[in-house]
Amino acid sequence: MSAMTRHEWLLSDRPTSRRQARLGQAYRTWLSFRTNWLAMVGLGIVVALVLVALFANVIAPYDPVLGGDLRTERFLPPLTGNHLLGTDDLSRDIFSRIVHGSRLTLLVVVLVAVIATPIGLLVGTTAGYFGGWVDTVLMRITDIFLAFPRLILALAFVAALGPGIENAIIAIAITSWPPYARLARAETLTIRDSDFISAARLQGASSARILWGHVTPLCLSSVIIRVTLDMAGIILTAAGLGFLGLGAQPPQPEWGAMIAAGRRFLIDQWWVATMPGVAIFIVSLGFNLLGDGLRDVLDPKARK
Amino acid sequence: MSQPLLSVEDLRVTFELHRAGDLPWTRPRLLRAVSGVSFELFPGETLGIVGESGSGKSTLARALVQMVPATGRAVWQDGADLIALSRRAMLRYRADIQMVFQDPLASLDPRMTVGQIIAEPLRTHFRDLSETERKSRVKAMMDRVGLLPNQINRYPHEFSGGQAQRIGIARALVVQPKLLICDEPVSALDVSIQAQVINLLSELQRDLGLAMIFIAHDLSVVKHISDRVMVLYLGRTMELAESRALYGDPQHPYTQALLSAVPIPDPAAERAKVVIPLEGDLPSPMNPPSGCVFRTRCARAEDVCAERRPELTRAAHGVACHFPGPVAASAGRVPA
């Protein structure tokens, strides 16, 4: 099948199978996404992050944990020798550490999204759909979580669970679901009283079926957008925990921990703390741009 | 006619309203949306329900399918009281009673294709149906309501209002119900499309032997499709009669006023027509007038109307009025 006919097959207004209709729908979304160049930059950054994380072993020229010669290779500035971004106080190649650190960053982002999104969706749609005291109880619990600043609450959880990257992930997930629950509840409230939900109920569909089959898919796009926009915040929180010594533990090449280690030498060896900071900045920006672009194409309310 | 499919006795729907800021133990204000409606519906028959906005038409329909809580009795032909059934017990009757909604697009899940929408009730009620059987039933139903087979994978927003309503009808009929409740199914459609949808409904009804409750505020639409017509005002039945009798010889002053407001597509007849004006608005259902609820706007009202509520007469042509009679009987109001 040539490229032209594939384009036509996807845009056909008479899809012959459910798969073709789905793919066509996705293709149309992609076409409108593609026109937004900032969003494409964001997508490019996120894809690059994933690729770097996948092929970290191939890309990184040095070991991220074992340093070089402590007498000759400490604090080499960027672009000296084979060290693209220089070396740190333990003669480790900063570029290699950042490349390996992308794995940790991605791990945090993906796991938090996988843990927090379903919790938020479940709580929000249940509260919104059933209303009454279910709504009151669930939303007050949500409010309790929202009442604390995120990093402070995460700090408290990590302090209780003990430092480490896994506990940091759990703590961030526990602190990041409430906004999704709020959002899902708001969406559910607008959907709950629409005729097609009444129709489903009249057909005898159970509450679980309505929640899972009708309400959740409609909440999903706005929650996905919100999660994508939150990714930057998640990365920053993870970095913040790392910076405070409660996230990833040395010698793990976590970006926040790297900044913390480098800040002692900020005046004389600025690159040690700056390079991981730049990495955090670029990746956060990428997720924000991607989220903005997704909102433009996925959110039916923002259209037109 | 034999045994009624559904007999409704003294159906009441009362909403409790709490004003914002009321303390939880203050007595709520009561809104009587439907107060004491009774009727019988026979298999294969169409009952039209007309009335102004706020007369309780939709609430009545929703009460029959437990979408709003009600009191009274609605006895199905096998003796079950639809009002009193538990959620679980009601499930058995869900397939028998289906509903078509006013806004066709709002009643279809925007994320589902037409095929999925029509197949969904089958998944609930005919669980053992194989995938291919389900698909063939969906296709047969689509064909039946005039949708093209190649539209099965499209999404609702790709359809016009009339076509979307056909999808809604197909979804309702795919489980082979005995009773179809149409809640203003054509009010949101263009006039030219209205006729198509109404013709489709009456055709389907004839072929499938459906009973239908057809709600509308447009009298001419109801006339076309109904065997009997019930006129509601403020949650009470004003008149209930065979369609021909009600349109040809209305007895209740409210029905007469409604009918006189229907435009006639003939300039000469339209000019000669006597319009009986209805003054004022529908009284608040939270504070209905004493006695006959219509008396505040009725030309025939006398003292007795404020004292006693007229009951609906139990004849073939039932009227709830102290002074029923043809238009001319309303003394002096109609110029000869």
Side-chain angles (χ1 to χ4, degrees):
Chain A
M1 206 187 278
S2 75
M4 193 57 213
T5 56
R6 186 179 301 132
H7 177 81
E8 278 164 2
W9 181 78
L10 283 166
L11 288 183
S12 159
D13 60 351
R14 283 180 189 176
T16 51
S17 68
R18 194 174 287 174
R19 201 176 115 254
Q20 188 185 355
R22 283 262 164 74
L23 287 174
Q25 192 90 333
Y27 186 60
R28 275 186 201 105
T29 309
W30 164 243
L31 284 182
S32 68
F33 184 80
R34 220 172 50 176
T35 58
N36 183 346
W37 70 271
L38 270 177
M40 288 303 285
V41 170
L43 182 68
I45 292 172
V46 173
V47 168
L49 173 73
V50 172
L51 289 179
V52 166
L54 275 178
F55 300 106
N57 290 330
V58 185
I59 295 168
Y62 296 92
D63 189 282
V65 177
L66 293 176
D69 191 333
L70 282 175
R71 283 163 303 179
T72 57
E73 290 180 321
R74 288 183 79 208
F75 295 128
L76 290 178
L79 297 174
T80 44
N82 289 323
H83 301 290
L84 188 62
L85 301 178
T87 58
D88 65 6
D89 55 329
L90 296 172
S91 308
R92 296 174 296 197
D93 180 48
I94 294 178
F95 178 68
S96 303
R97 281 178 69 75
I98 289 178
V99 166
H100 280 273
S102 67
R103 286 188 169 177
L104 289 174
T105 302
L106 205 60
L107 181 78
V108 171
V109 163
V110 169
L111 280 183
V112 168
V114 166
I115 298 169
T117 314
I119 298 176
L121 268 175
L122 190 69
V123 170
T125 53
T126 310
Y129 182 74
F130 290 105
W133 66 266
V134 178
D135 185 27
T136 309
V137 170
L138 287 176
M139 290 328 282
R140 289 304 81 76
I141 294 173
T142 310
D143 283 345
I144 292 171
F145 277 89
L146 280 171
F148 295 97
R150 192 146 158 212
L151 187 59
I152 305 291
L153 191 59
L155 271 177
F157 276 112
V158 178
L161 295 167
I165 188 88
E166 300 86 3
N167 290 341
I169 289 169
I170 293 169
I172 296 171
I174 289 173
T175 54
S176 54
W177 65 266
Y180 310 145
R182 274 278 184 88
L183 190 65
R185 174 176 174 271
E187 290 274 323
T188 308
L189 285 181
T190 63
I191 301 165
R192 183 179 69 176
D193 292 323
S194 59
D195 278 349
F196 68 86
I197 298 294
S198 305
R201 217 176 292 159
L202 283 190
Q203 289 151 18
S206 62
S207 298
R209 186 194 189 91
I210 292 173
L211 271 178
W212 181 246
H214 295 278
V215 177
T216 309
L218 281 168
C219 296
L220 209 54
S221 60
S222 45
V223 171
I224 286 176
I225 293 158
R226 182 65 199 258
V227 171
T228 317
L229 286 171
D230 271 1
M231 295 267 176
I234 292 168
I235 292 170
L236 290 178
T237 312
L241 288 176
F243 182 84
L244 296 168
L246 292 167
Q249 295 301 301
Q252 280 184 310
E254 203 273 324
W255 294 347
M258 286 168 71
I259 296 179
R263 76 171 194 277
R264 280 179 291 153
F265 326 111
L266 195 60
I267 306 297
D268 299 318
Q269 288 87 24
W270 55 270
W271 59 89
V272 180
T274 308
M275 292 309 167
V278 169
I280 293 172
F281 168 71
I282 291 175
V283 171
S284 304
L285 184 70
F287 275 112
N288 271 337
L289 292 177
L290 178 67
D292 263 345
L294 280 181
R295 186 182 53 205
D296 289 346
V297 294
L298 286 182
D299 193 351
K301 270 160 258 149
R303 232 177 250 173
K304 280 167 204 164
Chain B
M1 282 206 202
S2 53
Q3 203 197 354
L5 180 68
L6 176 70
S7 46
V8 175
E9 285 163 45
D10 198 33
L11 185 84
R12 286 168 194 273
V13 180
T14 307
F15 296 112
E16 297 187 348
L17 296 185
H18 283 277
R19 253 172 303 188
D22 269 4
L23 295 169
W25 53 83
T26 52
R27 186 176 295 189
R29 301 200 300 160
L30 299 180
L31 189 156
R32 295 194 168 84
V34 179
S35 31
V37 169
S38 308
F39 62 87
E40 286 181 336
L41 183 73
F42 293 92
E45 185 194 29
T46 303
L47 176 71
I49 299 180
V50 293
E52 289 170 82
S53 309
S55 60
K57 311 180 294 274
S58 297
T59 311
L60 172 60
R62 279 161 197 255
L64 292 178
V65 288
Q66 287 196 358
M67 273 168 72
V68 292
T71 57
R73 282 162 63 77
V75 182
W76 193 243
Q77 60 180 359
D78 64 358
D81 182 359
L82 298 180
I83 305 284
L85 285 178
S86 70
R87 242 189 88 89
R88 192 168 291 274
M90 185 71 190
L91 196 58
R92 274 189 51 222
Y93 297 93
R94 291 271 184 222
D96 284 340
I97 308 172
Q98 284 290 320
M99 197 155 168
V100 174
F101 295 85
Q102 175 171 5
D103 184 345
L105 272 177
S107 67
L108 306 174
D109 189 330
R111 289 292 163 106
M112 289 177 135
T113 63
V114 173
Q116 288 171 296
I117 288 170
I118 301 177
E120 207 194 15
L122 289 176
R123 285 178 202 275
T124 314
H125 292 287
F126 298 89
R127 282 162 189 245
D128 5 298
L129 228 53
S130 72
E131 187 71 33
T132 43
E133 255 177 292
R134 194 155 55 213
K135 205 154 191 183
S136 74
R137 280 216 204 176
V138 168
K139 284 197 168 137
M141 204 62 237
M142 285 180 68
D143 183 50
R144 195 69 200 71
V145 299
L147 293 166
L148 301 173
N150 61 29
Q151 294 172 327
I152 194 166
N153 287 312
R154 293 208 196 170
Y155 290 89
H157 68 262
E158 299 175 59
F159 290 89
S160 67
Q163 281 175 309
Q165 197 57 289
R166 285 170 197 266
I167 300 170
I169 293 170
R171 172 180 60 188
L173 294 183
V174 76
V175 287
Q176 298 156 350
K178 296 194 176 87
L179 168 61
L180 185 66
I181 298 174
C182 303
D183 187 1
E184 308 222 15
V186 294
S187 306
L189 304 178
D190 290 343
V191 177
S192 57
I193 311 293
Q194 285 189 355
Q196 291 176 13
V197 170
I198 290 173
N199 288 338
L200 172 68
L201 279 171
S202 47
E203 206 177 285
L204 286 167
Q205 179 188 30
R206 203 175 50 234
D207 296 355
L208 306 174
L210 278 173
M212 225 158 57
I213 292 179
F214 192 94
I215 297 167
H217 55 247
D218 183 339
L219 285 152
S220 45
V221 165
V222 173
K223 182 183 183 180
H224 188 83
I225 199 168
S226 308
D227 299 311
R228 285 191 303 152
V229 176
M230 178 158 82
V231 180
L232 280 188
Y233 184 81
L234 223 60
R236 290 182 195 279
T237 311
M238 294 289 112
E239 192 162 1
L240 173 60
E242 297 275 325
S243 179
R244 190 164 308 171
L246 189 114
Y247 282 87
D249 181 25
Q251 296 291 311
H252 197 284
Y254 179 58
T255 316
Q256 287 157 7
L258 282 182
L259 283 176
S260 79
V262 176
I264 306 168
D266 171 0
E270 173 73 23
R271 241 171 269 132
K273 188 180 72 172
V274 179
V275 177
I276 306 166
L278 269 187
E279 273 145 35
D281 289 324
L282 203 65
S284 162
M286 270 180 285
N287 185 19
S290 64
C292 172
V293 285
F294 184 57
R295 70 177 164 83
T296 51
R297 299 165 80 187
C298 181
R300 295 181 199 172
E302 290 181 19
D303 293 346
V304 63
C305 299
E307 286 155 19
R308 267 189 315 118
R309 199 177 65 236
E311 294 298 330
L312 186 72
T313 51
R314 286 257 167 189
H317 190 143
V319 190
C321 182
H322 289 303
F323 307 104
V327 182
S330 53
R333 280 200 59 95
V334 184

